Amino acid sequence: MDACLSYSYHMDDEIARFIRRVNPPKVVIDNDVYKNVTVIKVDSANKQGILLEVVQVLTDLNLTIKKAYISSDGGWFMDVFNVTNQDGNKVTDEIVLDYIRKSLGPDESSCYSPRSTIGVKQSVDFTVIELTGTDRPGLLSELCAVLTDLQCNVVNAEIWTHRAKAAAVLQVTDEETSSAVTDPERLSKIRKLLGYVLTGGSRSRRCREPKTTVSSSLNADRKLHQLMFADRDYDEWENNVDDEDKIGRVVPDVDVSNLHDLDYSIVMIKCKDRPKLLFDTVFTLTDMKYVVSHASIDAEGPEAYQEYYIRHTDGSPVKSEAERQRVIKCLKAAIQRRVFEGLKLELCTSDRVGLLSDVTRIFRENSLTVTRAEVKTKGGKALNTFYVRDASGYEVDAKTIDSIRQVIGQKILQVKGGNTEVKPSSPESQTGFLFGVFKSRSFVNFGLIRS
């Protein structure tokens, strides 16, 4: 049976490559049609997931998709995207434009695979740890403390929280070798201790223990969506939900109806526009095994309007009211997962083992909970972004932020956006005490690591 499946996949790949050679993709980039946007046209042979591949490339370049017209019914795929850079201007960087041509055109040598697994993965440079569980104040701090105690350095990470659920994708290295952790016993210990933290030490609480597999690539956005989906965060959405959810966020307007004479289901989405919105909705539909045959996207104003004509991979539309409600719930959850909550803080300093553990512990000790985090390491520098809010649900107090910045360093930790404005209290607080008093403290003493 396995041999038959392998042969089938091999034949599918051969057929896809043959079609690609006969009908190579064509990418046209036009900066003359409109004054403020760049037009990107993509024509190629149609295949499952091709729309997601195109949107992924544009999203990874931090381009904003203002409008899009998509048609992929039948054997051909034709898309038109109106895009701008992060500053709202045309895309004129030739390096970026050349990358788009090579990624989407006939020179493209590899594409994103929709297949994925969940667990701890190893690449040449780092070990990827994927976690999901029930969110609670201080959870990120405890997870980071465990990794620090196990001599693991978090070099990159994405953390999302949504409706009492938390998901994280962390890339860690060994403290001594600065490469991936490969020892099976050590990986087993990492899984065991992290699983203990996720359950809060309770054996009765259900938790997905990370699994160990081998992978050469990873897309954090896709994996975080899949982790949240697997943890059924969309079940929290009620059919009769109000215009605002429990914490005041505007709920996206999503509707699904069938166009019976053409065997399509029409998905209509109206919500506040934000970066990566199109990727989130397209990925969700693709991951749920729907094919987008036609679509129209308009995000030129503060609100985004998306219209999709979808079918199952077998060509049938949405088949029941239960399925219709499930699609609505899943799309609403996918849109809200990436909505930023809380005060934005940016940290920039030299990277070291335990840095993330120290910072998140200070947040926890000051009654702040992290709703979202993005951790990056580049050239020995830690470039971290945190969204925090008061653990009790109140607005973040400016005095609390000022106190935290004095400990970490006024120049190291910056407040971005919001109404919480604080000023340096003294010259001594510019660099803070984070690299002095807190650097050498063992996290076993905080009661976070238990044998």
Side-chain angles (χ1 to χ4, degrees):
M1 181 65 178
D2 291 340
C4 292
L5 288 174
S6 176
Y7 177 77
S8 176
Y9 287 137
H10 177 72
M11 287 300 296
D12 289 343
D13 290 341
E14 287 295 324
I15 292 172
R17 281 195 286 268
F18 174 76
I19 294 175
R20 195 176 184 86
R21 287 195 299 268
V22 175
N23 300 296
K26 182 180 180 182
V27 180
V28 177
I29 300 177
D30 195 331
N31 263 325
D32 298 325
V33 177
Y34 297 108
K35 181 179 180 180
N36 298 318
V37 299
T38 297
V39 179
I40 301 174
K41 301 177 183 179
V42 182
D43 295 340
S44 73
N46 193 17
K47 64 176 181 179
Q48 171 68 7
I50 188 172
L51 174 60
L52 179 59
E53 293 174 13
V54 175
V55 173
Q56 177 88 71
V57 170
L58 300 179
T59 300
D60 286 347
L61 292 170
N62 293 319
L63 301 182
T64 301
I65 300 174
K66 293 294 186 180
K67 274 193 174 184
Y69 304 95
I70 296 153
S71 179
S72 59
D73 206 357
W76 202 251
F77 173 83
M78 295 175 287
D79 280 12
V80 179
F81 297 92
N82 293 359
V83 304
T84 63
N85 59 22
Q86 287 182 296
D87 298 324
N89 301 319
K90 289 183 178 182
V91 184
T92 57
D93 189 332
E94 280 301 324
I95 296 178
V96 174
L97 296 177
D98 188 56
Y99 178 83
I100 294 172
R101 293 187 189 98
K102 290 182 177 180
S103 298
L104 303 179
D107 294 334
E108 185 264 343
S109 59
S110 63
C111 59
Y112 298 101
S113 171
R115 301 189 185 97
S116 58
T117 56
I118 298 176
V120 179
K121 302 179 180 180
Q122 300 170 21
S123 71
V124 176
D125 301 319
F126 48 76
T127 298
V128 178
I129 302 175
E130 300 164 9
L131 304 167
T132 182
T134 302
D135 189 29
R136 68 175 188 275
L139 176 60
L140 179 59
S141 173
E142 295 178 26
L143 293 171
C144 294
V146 168
L147 292 172
T148 299
D149 195 64
L150 294 172
Q151 289 82 51
C152 293
N153 186 34
V154 180
V155 293
N156 295 292
E158 285 268 4
I159 298 97
W160 290 2
T161 63
H162 178 243
R163 291 187 167 268
K165 305 289 186 180
V169 176
L170 305 96
Q171 298 176 354
V172 303
T173 59
D174 178 77
E175 180 179 359
E176 293 185 1
T177 64
S178 297
S179 59
V181 179
T182 57
D183 179 58
E185 291 186 5
R186 191 174 175 193
L187 289 172
S188 177
K189 186 176 182 180
I190 291 173
R191 291 196 303 271
K192 181 179 178 179
L193 291 179
L194 292 179
Y196 182 86
V197 171
L198 286 171
T199 59
S202 173
R203 295 184 179 180
S204 61
R205 294 179 63 179
R206 297 179 62 184
C207 171
R208 291 177 177 270
E209 181 177 308
K211 299 177 182 179
T212 304
T213 57
V214 178
S215 175
S216 60
S217 63
L218 176 77
N219 182 276
D221 289 340
R222 291 189 179 201
K223 182 53 62 179
L224 286 166
H225 275 302
Q226 289 174 332
L227 290 172
M228 285 288 196
F229 182 86
D231 213 17
R232 302 180 68 89
D233 69 323
Y234 57 86
D235 276 345
E236 298 293 331
W237 288 101
E238 298 294 338
N239 295 335
N240 59 347
V241 70
D242 296 329
D243 291 338
E244 293 187 356
D245 64 8
K246 296 179 181 180
I247 60 174
R249 297 178 302 185
V250 177
V251 174
D253 185 5
V254 181
D255 186 52
V256 178
S257 59
N258 279 356
L259 194 62
H260 295 287
D261 54 340
L262 294 176
D263 287 332
Y264 286 116
S265 292
I266 305 176
V267 178
M268 303 287 292
I269 299 174
K270 176 185 176 183
C271 64
K272 184 178 179 181
D273 191 31
R274 61 162 176 77
K276 298 189 177 183
L277 175 64
L278 182 59
F279 168 83
D280 293 337
T281 54
V282 169
F283 173 76
T284 299
L285 292 171
T286 304
D287 204 46
M288 294 178 72
K289 310 305 179 187
Y290 292 104
V291 177
V292 177
S293 298
H294 303 280
S296 176
I297 311 298
D298 186 349
E300 291 188 314
E303 288 191 326
Y305 300 87
Q306 300 182 357
E307 182 180 56
Y308 298 100
Y309 289 73
I310 66 171
R311 290 171 171 165
H312 287 280
T313 52
D314 63 3
S316 62
V318 172
K319 300 175 182 178
S320 65
E321 177 62 20
E323 182 185 354
R324 173 180 172 273
Q325 291 297 335
R326 185 169 182 264
V327 173
I328 292 174
K329 288 181 179 181
C330 290
L331 284 171
K332 286 184 176 181
I335 293 169
Q336 290 288 63
R337 286 172 193 148
R338 208 193 289 267
V339 173
F340 303 151
E341 302 172 22
L343 184 67
K344 182 179 181 180
L345 303 176
E346 291 186 355
L347 181 142
C348 180
T349 188
S350 298
D351 185 43
R352 62 172 177 80
V353 176
L355 174 63
L356 188 59
S357 176
D358 286 349
V359 172
T360 54
R361 175 181 55 78
I362 293 171
F363 289 162
R364 177 176 57 82
E365 290 175 346
N366 285 272
S367 300
L368 296 184
T369 182
V370 178
T371 63
R372 180 179 170 84
E374 181 178 359
V375 176
K376 294 182 179 180
T377 304
K378 187 175 181 180
K381 284 284 186 179
L383 308 170
N384 302 345
T385 300
F386 303 95
Y387 289 85
V388 299
R389 66 184 181 198
D390 188 272
S392 301
Y394 299 103
E395 290 186 4
V396 179
D397 185 21
K399 293 182 179 178
T400 300
I401 297 299
D402 186 39
S403 175
I404 292 173
R405 294 182 70 213
Q406 287 185 50
V407 173
I408 295 177
Q410 299 281 0
K411 291 183 178 180
I412 293 174
L413 186 67
Q414 300 286 333
V415 180
K416 299 293 181 178
N419 298 321
T420 305
E421 297 293 338
V422 290
K423 298 180 180 179
S425 299
S426 63
E428 289 79 4
S429 68
Q430 298 295 313
T431 55
F433 305 101
L434 183 61
F435 303 98
V437 176
F438 296 117
K439 184 174 181 179
S440 60
R441 297 174 70 174
S442 170
F443 287 90
V444 177
N445 298 330
F446 289 101
L448 299 178
I449 313 297
R450 298 180 178 88
S451 60

